[in-house]
Amino acid sequence: YLVVNYNLPNLKDSNIAAKWDKDYVMYTFYKFIWLKKQTELNSYLMLLSQDKYKIIITINDSSLLKNTAYTPLLENLSVDPDSIQENTKYIIIDCPNNTAKVINNLKPDENETNISLGNLSYVVRQNAQDCDDLPPYSEIYLDGTKIYSSSSSHSESALHITVISTVTKEIIDDVDYQNNDQLFIRN
């Protein structure tokens, strides 16, 4: 657009562009390092906006994300904050495609319900028959490997956030956010 409408030279293959590309790589690495140092949810959400991440937010207390301070941060991740309800269980964010899926109303009678994002899926399971007093639990799988279970210690957290690299397909960060303003637990 700029080259055509403003008669500017195309510098894509120049040394200037190469320097920009190198600076961008350094910036994204710095942003990744900075992400790992965050302890506050608002800073963490801000740094998640990255075109090489897929993000799973498991929600045990949706009231946290209804806080209007988080609205622009969620919108920046393609999440419609109005779609988060009291019964929201997951938000699956695909940053490269600027899409987010908010998953509400998990029903245990839907023994296995899969929503894929690449090789990512979640499953709702009933507990064993001899444990009727326990609630159903959910699990998240990446390439067939379980990366989260609500029956584990994560169930005590308000939010559990798993960040996956679209380049390496590895989990690059995995944190629990408790119900106060500054407590992250790195897993």
Side-chain angles (χ1 to χ4, degrees), residues 121-139:
S121 63
Y122 78 89
V123 178
V124 180
R125 300 189 189 279
Q126 288 283 10
N127 277 300
Q129 289 182 346
D130 59 343
C131 300
D132 287 338
D133 57 332
L134 296 174
Y137 64 97
S138 56
E139 298 171 332

Side-chain angles (χ1 to χ4, degrees), residues 77-138:
L77 293 168
S78 302
V79 177
D80 175 6
D82 293 332
S83 65
I84 299 171
Q85 303 172 6
E86 187 176 318
N87 62 354
T88 298
K89 186 62 181 165
Y90 296 114
I91 302 174
I92 300 175
I93 303 166
D94 185 355
C95 292
N97 295 312
N98 294 319
T99 60
K101 180 157 187 75
V102 176
I103 301 170
N104 300 314
N105 294 320
L106 288 179
K107 297 182 175 109
D109 55 331
E110 299 170 0
N111 194 16
E112 291 193 16
T113 303
N114 296 309
I115 292 181
S116 293
L117 186 64
N119 294 318
L120 186 67
S121 63
Y122 78 89
V123 178
V124 180
R125 300 189 189 279
Q126 288 283 10
N127 277 300
Q129 289 182 346
D130 59 343
C131 300
D132 287 338
D133 57 332
L134 296 174
Y137 64 97
S138 56

